Amino acid sequence: MEQKRVTVLHNRDARRDSLYLPADHLAEVYSRLLSSDWSLWTPDLLAESLFWVFRAQEPRELLTLSAKEQALNSAYRNRRLRPFVRGDVLVIGNQAFACEPWGRALPVDRNALKIVTRLADTRRERRTAARAR
């Protein structure tokens, strides 16, 4: 079974709880290679499941997650990232999905995404800011 890479893109242009628009600027904030047991899922169902994993933050929400989902949520939250919201985008392998109302995964053109900040850039910015303190 092949492993799938998931990348979280936060929407920098979206108004609170607004939908993703093709002209929106995105920032790559998290990327991880998923274990092979996730590879059985189709990308659209995986995206909808991961929307809830990255969105969960309250104790009662975390209790509804499986052990592997809790581990993924914990790794995401340990980076001190905001919860995943409507208008954000997940890239799974070579497919991209925007988070729509009620956690629906709307396929979007991966080649048209306007990623303004890559993960390597954000890490470099954090290191520079930490040295400046």
Side-chain angles (χ1 to χ4, degrees), residues 3 7 29 71 76:
Q3 292 181 314
T7 302
V29 296
Y76 180 77

Side-chain angles (χ1 to χ4, degrees), residues 35-69:
S35 60
S36 59
D37 53 338
W38 291 93
S39 66
L40 300 174
W41 295 54
T42 60
D44 57 334
L45 292 177
L46 180 58
E48 289 185 10
S49 179
L50 291 177
F51 288 162
W52 295 108
V53 170
F54 293 131
R55 176 176 258 168
Q57 60 183 351
E58 299 294 326
R60 70 179 189 281
E61 295 170 330
L62 296 172
L63 289 174
T64 64
L65 301 178
S66 70
K68 69 179 180 180
E69 291 171 336

Side-chain angles (χ1 to χ4, degrees), residues 40-118:
L40 300 174
W41 295 54
T42 60
D44 57 334
L45 292 177
L46 180 58
E48 289 185 10
S49 179
L50 291 177
F51 288 162
W52 295 108
V53 170
F54 293 131
R55 176 176 258 168
Q57 60 183 351
E58 299 294 326
R60 70 179 189 281
E61 295 170 330
L62 296 172
L63 289 174
T64 64
L65 301 178
S66 70
K68 69 179 180 180
E69 291 171 336
Q70 286 180 1
L72 191 57
N73 175 279
S74 178
Y76 180 77
R77 291 184 327 138
N78 284 341
R79 302 257 341 255
R80 296 188 181 357
L81 297 170
R82 68 164 169 76
F84 199 81
V85 296
R86 188 165 49 168
D88 289 342
V89 176
L90 273 182
V91 177
I92 300 171
N94 60 357
Q95 296 179 318
F97 300 90
C99 184
E100 296 299 306
W102 305 287
R104 292 285 319 233
L106 177 70
V108 294
D109 182 5
R110 184 175 190 262
N111 297 322
L113 296 176
K114 294 184 178 169
I115 303 173
V116 294
T117 308
R118 295 274 178 193

